[in-house]
Coordinates of all heavy atoms in Angstrom, one line a residue:
P96 N 127.0 53.5 88.8 CA 128.1 52.9 88.2 C 128.1 52.9 86.7 O 129.1 52.9 86.0 CB 128.2 51.5 88.7 CG 126.9 51.3 89.5 CD 126.3 52.5 89.7
G98 N 126.9 55.3 84.9 CA 126.9 56.7 84.5 C 125.6 57.3 84.5 O 125.4 58.5 84.3
T128 N 76.2 79.0 75.7 CA 75.3 79.8 76.4 C 74.8 81.1 75.7 O 74.0 81.8 76.2 CB 75.9 80.2 77.8 OG1 77.1 80.9 77.6 CG2 76.2 79.0 78.6
S139 N 83.2 84.9 64.0 CA 84.3 85.7 64.4 C 85.1 85.0 65.5 O 84.6 84.2 66.2 CB 83.8 87.1 65.0 OG 82.9 86.8 66.1
G141 N 86.8 84.2 69.0 CA 86.2 84.5 70.3 C 87.2 84.3 71.5 O 88.2 83.6 71.3
M147 N 90.3 92.3 82.8 CA 90.9 93.0 81.7 C 92.0 92.2 80.9 O 92.8 92.8 80.2 CB 91.5 94.4 82.1 CG 90.5 95.3 82.8 SD 89.1 95.7 81.8 CE 89.8 96.7 80.5
M165 N 97.1 88.1 77.6 CA 97.2 89.4 76.9 C 96.1 90.4 77.5 O 95.1 90.0 77.9 CB 97.0 89.3 75.4 CG 98.1 88.6 74.7 SD 97.7 88.4 72.9 CE 97.8 90.2 72.4
P203 N 85.0 53.0 83.8 CA 84.5 52.8 85.2 C 84.8 53.9 86.2 O 84.0 54.0 87.1 CB 85.3 51.5 85.6 CG 86.5 51.6 84.7 CD 86.1 52.2 83.4
E210 N 89.9 73.0 84.2 CA 90.3 73.5 82.9 C 89.8 72.6 81.7 O 90.5 72.4 80.8 CB 91.8 73.7 82.8 CG 92.3 74.7 83.8 CD 93.8 74.9 83.7 OE1 94.4 74.2 82.8 OE2 94.4 75.7 84.4
G219 N 91.0 49.1 83.1 CA 89.7 48.4 82.9 C 89.1 48.8 81.6 O 88.5 47.9 80.9
A230 N 89.6 52.2 73.8 CA 89.0 52.9 74.9 C 89.0 54.4 74.6 O 88.0 55.1 74.9 CB 89.9 52.7 76.2
P240 N 77.8 63.1 70.6 CA 76.4 63.7 70.6 C 76.3 65.1 71.2 O 75.3 65.8 70.9 CB 75.6 62.6 71.4 CG 76.5 61.4 71.4 CD 77.9 61.8 71.3
F274 N 109.5 60.4 78.2 CA 108.6 61.4 77.6 C 108.8 62.7 78.3 O 108.8 63.8 77.6 CB 107.2 60.9 77.7 CG 106.2 62.0 77.4 CD1 105.9 62.3 76.1 CD2 105.4 62.6 78.4 CE1 105.0 63.3 75.8 CE2 104.5 63.6 78.1 CZ 104.3 63.9 76.8
P279 N 110.5 71.4 79.5 CA 111.1 72.4 80.4 C 110.5 72.3 81.8 O 109.4 71.9 82.0 CB 110.7 73.8 79.8 CG 109.5 73.4 79.0 CD 109.7 72.0 78.5
G290 N 111.9 78.8 88.8 CA 112.8 79.9 88.7 C 114.2 79.5 89.4 O 115.2 79.8 88.8
M291 N 114.1 78.9 90.5 CA 115.3 78.5 91.2 C 116.1 77.5 90.4 O 117.4 77.5 90.3 CB 115.0 77.9 92.6 CG 116.3 77.6 93.4 SD 117.3 79.0 93.8 CE 116.3 79.7 95.1
R325 N 107.2 63.7 90.3 CA 106.5 63.9 89.0 C 107.4 64.0 87.8 O 107.1 63.5 86.7 CB 105.6 65.2 89.1 CG 104.5 65.0 90.2 CD 103.7 66.3 90.3 NE 102.6 66.1 91.4 CZ 101.8 67.0 91.8 NH1 101.8 68.2 91.2 NH2 100.9 66.7 92.8
E358 N 77.9 79.1 111.2 CA 77.0 78.0 111.1 C 77.6 76.8 110.4 O 77.4 75.6 110.8 CB 75.7 78.4 110.4 CG 74.5 77.5 110.5 CD 73.3 78.0 109.9 OE1 73.3 79.2 109.5 OE2 72.3 77.3 109.9
A360 N 80.9 76.1 110.2 CA 82.0 75.5 111.0 C 81.3 74.6 112.1 O 81.9 73.5 112.4 CB 82.8 76.6 111.7
R398 N 87.6 74.6 94.9 CA 89.0 75.1 95.0 C 89.9 74.0 95.6 O 89.4 73.2 96.4 CB 89.0 76.3 96.0 CG 90.4 76.9 96.2 CD 90.3 78.2 96.9 NE 91.6 78.8 97.1 CZ 91.9 80.0 97.7 NH1 90.8 80.7 98.0 NH2 93.1 80.4 97.9
V429 N 73.9 74.3 100.6 CA 73.1 73.0 100.8 C 74.0 71.8 100.7 O 73.6 70.7 101.0 CB 72.0 72.9 99.8 CG1 71.0 74.0 100.0 CG2 72.5 72.9 98.3
H444 N 105.3 61.9 107.4 CA 105.1 63.2 108.1 C 105.4 63.0 109.6 O 105.1 63.9 110.4 CB 103.7 63.7 107.9 CG 103.4 64.1 106.5 ND1 103.7 65.3 106.0 CD2 102.9 63.3 105.5 CE1 103.3 65.3 104.7 NE2 102.8 64.1 104.4
M445 N 106.1 61.9 110.0 CA 106.4 61.7 111.4 C 107.6 62.5 111.7 O 108.5 62.7 110.9 CB 106.8 60.2 111.6 CG 105.6 59.2 111.5 SD 104.4 59.5 112.9 CE 103.3 58.2 112.6
A533 N 106.5 124.9 92.9 CA 105.7 124.2 91.9 C 106.1 122.8 91.8 O 107.2 122.4 91.9 CB 105.8 124.9 90.6
P553 N 105.9 110.7 102.9 CA 104.6 110.4 103.6 C 104.7 110.8 105.1 O 105.7 110.4 105.8 CB 104.4 108.9 103.4 CG 105.3 108.6 102.2 CD 106.4 109.5 102.2
A554 N 103.7 111.5 105.6 CA 103.6 111.8 107.0 C 104.8 112.4 107.6 O 105.3 112.1 108.7 CB 103.2 110.5 107.8
R558 N 111.7 118.0 102.9 CA 113.2 117.8 103.1 C 113.9 118.3 101.8 O 113.3 118.2 100.7 CB 113.5 116.3 103.3 CG 112.9 115.7 104.5 CD 113.2 114.2 104.6 NE 112.6 113.6 105.8 CZ 112.7 112.3 106.1 NH1 113.5 111.5 105.3 NH2 112.1 111.9 107.2
A590 N 117.4 107.6 101.1 CA 117.3 107.5 99.6 C 116.0 106.9 99.3 O 115.5 105.9 99.9 CB 118.5 106.6 99.1
A599 N 101.0 112.5 89.1 CA 101.3 112.5 90.6 C 102.6 111.7 90.9 O 103.0 110.8 90.1 CB 100.1 111.8 91.3

Side-chain angles (χ1 to χ4, degrees):
T128 59
S139 61
M147 303 302 291
M165 292 179 68
E210 298 181 359
F274 168 75
M291 181 66 74
R325 294 177 182 178
E358 194 174 354
R398 181 167 179 177
V429 296
H444 297 272
M445 292 291 185
R558 301 178 181 180

